[in-house]
Amino acid sequence: MLAPPLASTVSAVISLGFTARQTIPIVFFGFLICSVVITLTGRMGATYNIPYPVIVRSIFGMYGSYPMICIRAFVAMMWTAILCVQAGDFLGCCIEAIWPSFKNFPNHLPEGANITSSGLLTFFLYWMCQTALALMPMKKLRILFFVKAIVVPPTFLALFIWAAVVTKGGGPLVTGPVKLTNPYMNTAYSALTGLNVIIGLFSSLAVNMPDFGRFSRDQFAGYHQFFALPVIGTLGSLTPIFVTSAHSYLWRLPGEPVQWYMPAVIRMFDSRAAKFFTAFSFMLATIGNQVAAGTSRKDNIVGAIFIDNQRRYLSIQ
């Protein structure tokens, strides 16, 4: 929940013209709907100790499950690619905080590539680290998730407090009026569009929640997720709103768009220590998000297609 995709999702809701006062209820009810599906699908895995591909086969049959599996694998690959680029930028912020000369890294790529040589380098370095962790068994990654649980929430809280203090209450994104950006939709339709955006953030995770639930030792465990997702997700969504508002208050020039891309916001920090630890925390959150819900889930799902006929030649690793 506390990961960079949350900022992108909240920005999509606010881009409809809402402020934080309207966005927070939309986020809460969107996560509440997702929590129902996540809790129920997780119960399937916890009860029968089976992953998503097996449940899909029980519904659609052996061959009918292949399209469902391929669609889920495609979504996982898209998320992996997008977040690897973003996490590479977080790694670039960490390197810039340690060695400021990295900002002057020569670029040999054309402007149409939409990425610089330094960005491609950090993307490759991050991808190697994430791939190494993805090859580890899930049970051995408990230390990673334990560290993430200790580091990431305080970072979100610290950024929220800093932004609230700097803007003296939140700024226009929090206290400003509603200005709908689509003239063809009224407030109700815009709210439904925002609700759909929030549901889309966890829709892919909701269908393959049995991949996590099957590791549970108790079939009745996990019901707290029904309450955790709406509460923690809604509180976590306050941080990107306030941080973006602080960026607009401190650094945005007239005529420039609102900056939601967190690596770009972090690069504006004057303190090298704040830049490093904030970027490292967001990179750690991305690694945990990707290893748990991205790469390992994709490998598990794609392996379900080939493992029966090519057991000798293809494994999940």
Side-chain angles (χ1 to χ4, degrees):
M1 287 177 284
L2 301 182
L6 184 61
S8 303
T9 307
V10 173
S11 69
V13 178
I14 288 190
S15 67
L16 297 172
F18 295 116
T19 62
R21 289 179 294 181
Q22 295 79 35
T23 301
I24 294 304
I26 294 174
V27 171
F28 177 81
F29 285 106
F31 283 155
L32 184 64
I33 295 173
C34 290
S35 66
V36 175
V37 181
I38 289 175
T39 303
L40 294 178
T41 55
R43 174 69 187 279
M44 297 179 190
T47 302
Y48 301 105
N49 300 113
I50 55 177
Y52 165 75
V54 177
I55 293 178
V56 172
R57 286 175 181 175
S58 68
I59 299 172
F60 295 98
M62 188 66 182
Y63 295 103
S65 66
Y66 287 164
M68 306 298 106
I69 293 173
C70 290
I71 291 173
R72 179 62 186 95
F74 177 78
V75 174
M77 287 188 288
M78 292 300 101
W79 270 113
T80 300
I82 293 170
L83 292 183
C84 276
V85 174
Q86 189 170 6
D89 287 340
F90 286 127
L91 179 58
C93 293
C94 293
I95 297 176
E96 290 177 8
I98 300 174
W99 298 288
S101 60
F102 187 72
K103 297 178 182 179
N104 303 321
F105 191 90
N107 180 33
H108 302 287
L109 297 177
E111 185 177 355
N114 293 322
I115 192 172
T116 62
S117 297
S118 60
L120 192 61
L121 173 62
T122 55
F123 167 83
F124 180 70
L125 293 175
Y126 169 80
W127 177 81
M128 288 195 301
C129 296
Q130 177 181 285
T131 303
L133 291 172
L135 293 175
M136 298 175 60
M138 187 62 65
K139 293 183 178 180
K140 293 184 178 181
L141 291 174
R142 292 180 178 178
I143 297 178
L144 172 65
F145 297 122
F146 179 75
V147 173
K148 176 188 173 184
I150 295 177
V151 173
V152 176
T155 302
F156 268 71
L157 179 61
L159 286 174
F160 170 75
I161 295 174
W162 166 79
V165 172
V166 167
T167 58
K168 300 177 181 179
L173 289 180
V174 178
T175 59
V178 176
K179 297 180 182 179
L180 298 181
T181 57
N182 193 330
Y184 301 101
M185 292 194 302
N186 56 22
T187 303
Y189 279 107
S190 297
L192 289 175
T193 302
L195 188 67
N196 184 61
V197 170
I198 298 300
I199 293 174
L201 177 63
F202 279 93
S203 59
S204 58
L205 178 63
V207 296
N208 70 282
M209 196 63 187
D211 292 340
F212 304 99
R214 69 192 181 101
F215 292 103
S216 176
R217 299 178 180 178
D218 182 6
Q219 63 176 340
F220 296 103
Y223 283 109
H224 64 280
Q225 296 294 334
F226 177 79
F227 304 100
L229 178 58
V231 174
I232 299 178
T234 303
L235 294 177
S237 65
L238 290 172
T239 295
I241 296 174
F242 276 73
V243 169
T244 298
S245 183
H247 177 275
S248 301
Y249 181 81
L250 295 174
W251 300 300
R252 185 164 70 101
L253 300 176
E256 288 185 350
V258 176
Q259 182 58 262
W260 286 96
Y261 192 56
M262 292 305 297
V265 176
I266 293 173
R267 282 193 171 95
M268 301 299 295
F269 289 174
D270 295 327
S271 172
R272 292 167 59 184
K275 180 185 296 186
F276 174 84
F277 287 111
T278 304
F280 177 80
S281 178
F282 274 89
M283 185 175 64
L284 181 64
T286 306
I287 291 176
N289 184 287
Q290 286 298 95
V291 171
T295 53
S296 61
R297 300 284 71 77
K298 171 178 63 64
D299 298 336
N300 189 22
I301 293 170
V302 174
I305 300 177
F306 299 100
I307 198 69
D308 294 328
N309 299 324
Q310 303 182 25
R311 186 181 299 273
R312 302 177 185 174
Y313 310 108
L314 184 66
S315 65
I316 293 178
Q317 284 78 13

